[in-house]
Amino acid sequence: MLSSRDMTAPDFFLDPTDSGDPRELRACWIEDRLRDSSRDDYLLVRIDPPLIGQQYGMGDRDVERVLLATRHVGKTLFPVTEWPAFVYVLRVLDDAILKQKMLSSNQVQMIRWGVLHKERPRSSS
């Protein structure tokens, strides 16, 4: 399930604004699947371009990886069956979850709502 952004096309695209602003579109490469005590469908992705980290108290470090989780009951990212897919965008606060594959609410922060697109929307370049 791992992809390498250096060698492959993006797996899909994230609009992290939930508003359709093509300047905010991020290419996404799937890295892993994580879970917590109530759901097993968090999707870890690497994004490009990264989100500016300063607004999240990260100083000059940017957000290059995010976790995605579906916003609507009954929908899943494994696999995505309907596009666009509406997601919560979370940032990782504790890198230990990347090895453990298990997370708790104090190890992540929900930072945005977003929309996933299978292909780059035509209005963006």
Side-chain angles (χ1 to χ4, degrees), residues 4-125:
S4 168
R5 71 178 172 163
D6 297 327
M7 299 174 15
T8 63
D11 293 303
F12 50 81
F13 294 87
L14 168 66
D15 172 1
T17 65
D18 196 26
S19 67
D21 184 346
R23 297 169 298 180
E24 295 295 325
L25 200 67
R26 303 304 199 266
C28 297
W29 290 266
I30 295 171
E31 290 198 342
D32 216 337
R33 182 176 186 163
L34 284 76
R35 63 187 181 93
D36 67 11
S37 61
S38 63
R39 60 189 302 169
D40 68 352
D41 63 343
Y42 291 96
L43 179 61
L44 179 68
V45 297
R46 183 168 299 277
I47 58 173
D48 188 44
L51 297 170
I52 296 173
Q54 190 171 18
Q55 62 188 323
Y56 306 113
M58 297 176 62
D60 63 351
R61 293 179 302 128
D62 291 335
V63 179
E64 296 181 353
R65 284 185 176 133
V66 294
L67 281 174
L68 304 174
T70 57
R71 289 190 343 224
H72 299 142
V73 175
K75 302 298 179 187
T76 182
L77 299 176
F78 298 95
V80 177
T81 56
E82 290 182 29
W83 299 92
F86 299 90
V87 296
Y88 297 113
V89 181
L90 302 97
R91 80 177 180 104
V92 174
L93 299 175
D94 181 355
D95 285 342
I97 68 172
L98 303 177
K99 291 182 182 179
Q100 298 167 348
K101 314 274 191 250
M102 180 77 173
L103 62 106
S104 61
S105 60
N106 65 337
Q107 293 176 300
V108 296
Q109 175 188 35
M110 208 258 303
I111 57 174
R112 299 174 179 226
W113 285 14
V115 180
L116 301 182
H117 299 276
K118 186 173 184 163
E119 299 175 354
R120 181 181 295 275
R122 293 180 192 240
S123 62
S124 9
S125 358

